[in-house]
Amino acid sequence: MASYKVVFKPSVEKDLRPLPRLAVARVMSRIEALTDDPFPRQSVKLTGAEQLYRLRVGDYRIVYGFDKAAGQIIVHYFRHRRDVYRQL
């Protein structure tokens, strides 16, 4: 299976700053796992958005897109579940 490159939008760094280190470690391990399988069983396609998917990590959500032609996974947001869908 092909390994994909992960690209972070600038907003992701800002989303990760206030979080505890344990939560950041869990998120980064899930994002790293996406390089081997961009669509794990837990990922759900978001309705109302073209190519966006979400992954649950505890109380947080990773919103990402997948560009098969470029071989990239683009991480758009990482936020708490109450805030993540407000700006989509």
Side-chain angles (χ1 to χ4, degrees), residues 45-73:
K45 186 174 187 322
L46 295 178
T47 58
E50 281 277 325
Q51 294 288 323
L52 292 180
Y53 300 86
R54 74 135 164 98
L55 248 170
R56 292 174 53 191
V57 181
D59 286 340
Y60 298 95
R61 303 294 182 263
I62 302 168
V63 176
Y64 68 98
F66 179 66
D67 185 1
K68 187 173 186 174
Q72 292 182 342
I73 297 165

Side-chain angles (χ1 to χ4, degrees), residues 14-77:
K14 196 166 45 170
D15 292 341
L16 290 174
R17 274 188 221 144
L19 297 178
R21 287 182 188 229
L22 182 61
V24 172
R26 288 178 59 199
V27 168
M28 294 310 287
S29 69
R30 288 298 286 272
I31 290 172
E32 189 176 309
L34 286 175
T35 61
D36 294 326
D37 183 14
F39 304 110
R41 290 183 57 158
Q42 301 84 12
S43 70
V44 175
K45 186 174 187 322
L46 295 178
T47 58
E50 281 277 325
Q51 294 288 323
L52 292 180
Y53 300 86
R54 74 135 164 98
L55 248 170
R56 292 174 53 191
V57 181
D59 286 340
Y60 298 95
R61 303 294 182 263
I62 302 168
V63 176
Y64 68 98
F66 179 66
D67 185 1
K68 187 173 186 174
Q72 292 182 342
I73 297 165
I74 302 130
V75 179
H76 292 275
Y77 301 108

